[in-house]
Amino acid sequence: MKFLKILFKLIGVVLLILLLIISTMITTMDHTPYKEMPYYKQWKTEIGNVKSDSSIAGELKAGWSKVNITPASPTPMAGYGNRRGKSYVSVHDSIYIRAMVIDNGVTQAAIIAADLLIIPPTVTKILQTRLTEKEIPFDQVYFGATHSHNSVGGWGTGISGLFFSGKYDQVTVDRIADAIFQAIVQAKAKIEPAKLTYLEAKDTIDIRNRLVGDEGSIDPEIRSLALVNKSGEKAVLSSYAAHSTVMNSKNMVLSRDYPGILIDSLEKGRYNFAMYMAGAVGSMAPVEKGTDDFDEMKNQAFGVQQSLLSSKIIRQPKNELVIRTLTIPLPLRDPSPRLTMDIVLRSWVFKKAFGEYPVFVKALRIGNILMVGMPCDFSGELVAGLDAYAKTKGLNLMVTSFNGGYIGYITHDKYFDRDLYETKPMSWYGPYNGAYLQEVIKDIIDKMD
């Protein structure tokens, strides 16, 4: 009997200790409106300190290059959590870093499109110190990714990295960072006079809302920046919102997914060089049509290409050769990933699992084209109003995802309390971020006008 009493007491002490430990790890969701939060005031201060610059320089010049980053042997894949970071078994198509450098005699900037799931923050950290005035400073480099879920991993840190990108490998991180650096150097060496055009098309057939189906909206626009250099070579940078998830998680081959077929086809036809960036892919999915993944990829790429090649041409105003760059910190609520719809992990637990990296927004204005790069899967449902607002300022807006930081999914706020993949396990920074980040982009449009 005495033994049982001691045992029960021990069990009680252990349970109390466990409850205390759990209480330090979890809390409830903070629903304070974003305009009442310190991070909102901090953002307004940050953007308020950005100086307007309307300087227009001389002749536009551009150069482009690509660097193959296909590993010599199989590595972990990034993209689908149920793969648990397993290695690919074969190479379906090679993966690249593509760079475009633009120069107007006063400002020089670079655009990077990587055949990766995201631009890994671990890679960004290296580039922040490596890219200097000698090449092109980090703050003047605009990053994007094709968002292929069948590309290389090994770049994620923390527990989450083991699921989404496989075991961390410093060699892989260094190799990606070096390829980006080399692509910029090579593109910079090739710059020559060029003419710029903005292209716009709609493709409603090859995209759907995967979050709420017909209840929601889509972002069907294909937005493209096209260049013709003095040698007569043509280059294009295109962005579309359909996720690069045509290949399913059971397909263990290295591939760029449908953007790879699209790029290759464009380079065999109208253009000498092509780049692709995932647009506002949050909540947006491709429309898989075909007999298997490979057939579906071809059909998706062909559909997007048909629309792209029939784009409406919006030429640049004469004598407008503005190039402006912006890299600005993005203040946020403390991270609070959900366990249930209202019970969340505390921020220290999140940082332990995911790692802690700077978060920022990037913007690049070239003539009347304004590119805004977000550190997330930014929802296509949030773009239409922003696009219309930019046009009132005479700007053509291209919102892209995966700018070198990553904060999960940003969806429309009206879906925040729905128990869905994008709004529960992949929603990390609390409520109202749809409205907040729309305001962030509007503020950037105003500053870059």
Side-chain angles (χ1 to χ4, degrees):
M1 194 72 173
K2 187 176 181 181
F3 171 76
L4 288 175
K5 286 183 179 180
I6 294 172
L7 180 61
F8 287 142
K9 283 183 180 180
L10 285 173
I11 291 173
V13 170
V14 170
L15 288 174
L16 180 61
I17 292 171
L18 286 173
L19 286 172
L20 289 171
I21 292 172
I22 291 170
S23 69
T24 67
M25 298 176 67
I26 64 172
T27 186
T28 55
M29 180 70 72
D30 179 4
H31 288 276
T32 305
Y34 76 95
K35 289 188 178 182
E36 298 176 15
M37 296 289 287
Y39 70 84
Y40 178 73
K41 297 179 179 66
Q42 186 182 345
W43 164 256
K44 288 299 185 181
T45 300
E46 293 279 3
I47 194 67
N49 290 334
V50 174
K51 296 179 180 179
S52 297
D53 179 9
S54 58
S55 60
I56 299 174
E59 187 176 39
L60 180 69
K61 295 181 179 180
W64 41 83
S65 180
K66 65 180 181 181
V67 174
N68 194 320
I69 57 168
T70 308
S73 58
T75 66
M77 297 177 75
Y80 296 107
N82 61 2
R83 286 177 176 156
R84 303 293 191 269
K86 291 180 181 177
S87 296
Y88 62 86
V89 296
S90 63
V91 176
H92 177 266
D93 53 290
S94 295
I95 57 174
Y96 295 87
I97 300 294
R98 293 169 186 261
M100 184 180 288
V101 169
I102 53 170
D103 189 336
N104 66 355
V106 173
T107 303
Q108 198 170 66
I111 305 170
I112 295 294
D115 293 324
L116 298 169
L117 179 70
I118 63 174
I119 299 292
T122 48
V123 171
T124 303
K125 188 175 181 180
I126 294 173
L127 293 172
Q128 283 175 317
T129 56
R130 192 171 178 192
L131 289 172
T132 64
E133 293 288 344
K134 184 179 178 182
E135 298 79 31
I136 296 177
F138 176 83
D139 285 357
Q140 292 169 216
V141 180
Y142 187 97
F143 295 100
T146 56
H147 198 43
S148 170
H149 286 55
N150 272 59
S151 189
V152 294
W155 38 257
T157 57
I159 298 169
S160 63
L162 295 177
F163 291 94
F164 289 100
S165 69
K167 185 179 178 181
Y168 182 79
D169 179 21
Q170 187 64 48
V171 173
T172 295
V173 172
D174 291 340
R175 183 164 52 82
I176 294 171
D178 187 62
I180 292 172
F181 182 88
Q182 294 302 329
I184 291 173
V185 171
Q186 292 172 21
K188 186 177 177 181
K190 296 177 181 179
I191 61 170
E192 58 179 272
K195 293 183 178 180
L196 175 67
T197 303
Y198 176 70
L199 309 172
E200 209 167 75
K202 286 188 177 181
D203 180 357
T204 59
I205 298 173
D206 297 294
I207 189 169
R208 61 182 175 86
N209 188 309
R210 73 178 193 179
L211 187 70
V212 293
D214 293 338
E215 179 188 345
S217 60
I218 57 172
D219 178 22
E221 292 200 17
I222 303 169
R223 301 169 176 90
S224 302
L225 177 163
L227 290 158
V228 181
N229 67 16
K230 190 175 181 180
S231 301
E233 293 184 331
K234 298 178 180 180
V236 66
L237 164 62
S238 296
S239 178
Y240 188 50
H243 250 85
S244 298
T245 51
V246 175
M247 301 197 82
N248 66 53
S249 61
K250 294 179 182 178
N251 209 324
M252 299 297 293
V253 298
L254 187 72
S255 175
R256 293 171 285 166
D257 208 289
Y258 82 85
I261 296 175
L262 172 64
I263 289 169
D264 291 347
S265 184
L266 290 171
E267 290 184 341
K268 291 174 182 175
R270 183 177 298 181
Y271 296 97
N272 303 96
F273 183 82
M275 298 171 66
Y276 179 90
M277 282 185 179
V281 295
S283 308
M284 303 291 108
V287 178
E288 297 92 343
K289 304 180 291 284
T291 56
D292 58 24
D293 284 359
F294 304 103
D295 192 36
E296 290 171 358
M297 279 199 301
K298 291 176 183 177
N299 292 333
Q300 177 76 12
F302 179 71
V304 176
Q305 179 180 262
Q306 274 191 311
S307 298
L308 193 161
L309 293 178
S310 62
S311 294
K312 177 184 176 183
I313 298 173
I314 303 175
R315 300 192 182 280
Q316 292 292 302
K318 289 184 179 179
N319 302 320
E320 188 174 0
L321 293 172
V322 175
I323 297 179
R324 291 192 60 196
T325 62
L326 177 66
T327 299
I328 184 169
L330 178 64
L332 293 165
R333 192 182 301 256
D334 285 339
S336 54
R338 283 169 153 163
L339 296 175
T340 69
M341 295 310 291
D342 200 52
I343 303 298
V344 300
L345 287 174
R346 294 186 183 275
S347 60
W348 73 266
V349 182
F350 173 85
K351 292 171 184 176
K352 189 74 173 176
F354 285 77
E356 190 172 2
Y357 298 93
V359 179
F360 46 82
V361 179
K362 280 185 169 283
L364 170 62
R365 178 178 171 182
I366 315 168
N368 63 1
I369 303 169
L370 177 61
M371 303 174 67
V372 179
M374 303 304 289
C376 57
D377 285 77
F378 190 76
S379 175
E381 289 202 65
L382 303 174
V383 172
L386 297 169
D387 191 67
Y389 182 73
K391 281 182 166 50
T392 67
K393 304 278 187 175
L395 297 171
N396 298 300
L397 181 66
M398 296 175 66
V399 178
T400 63
S401 301
F402 319 116
N403 71 357
Y406 192 67
I407 59 172
Y409 276 78
I410 301 298
T411 57
H412 197 293
D413 292 332
K414 63 186 176 183
Y415 307 129
F416 184 73
D417 289 322
R418 299 201 187 184
D419 190 355
L420 301 168
Y421 173 72
E422 295 185 10
T423 53
K424 187 182 178 184
M426 293 303 292
S427 177
W428 301 339
Y429 284 84
Y432 313 120
N433 283 310
Y436 173 49
L437 292 189
Q438 281 180 304
E439 186 171 342
V440 164
I441 294 175
K442 280 188 176 180
D443 287 344
I444 290 172
I445 292 169
D446 290 340
K447 279 293 181 179
M448 301 294 272
D449 180 15

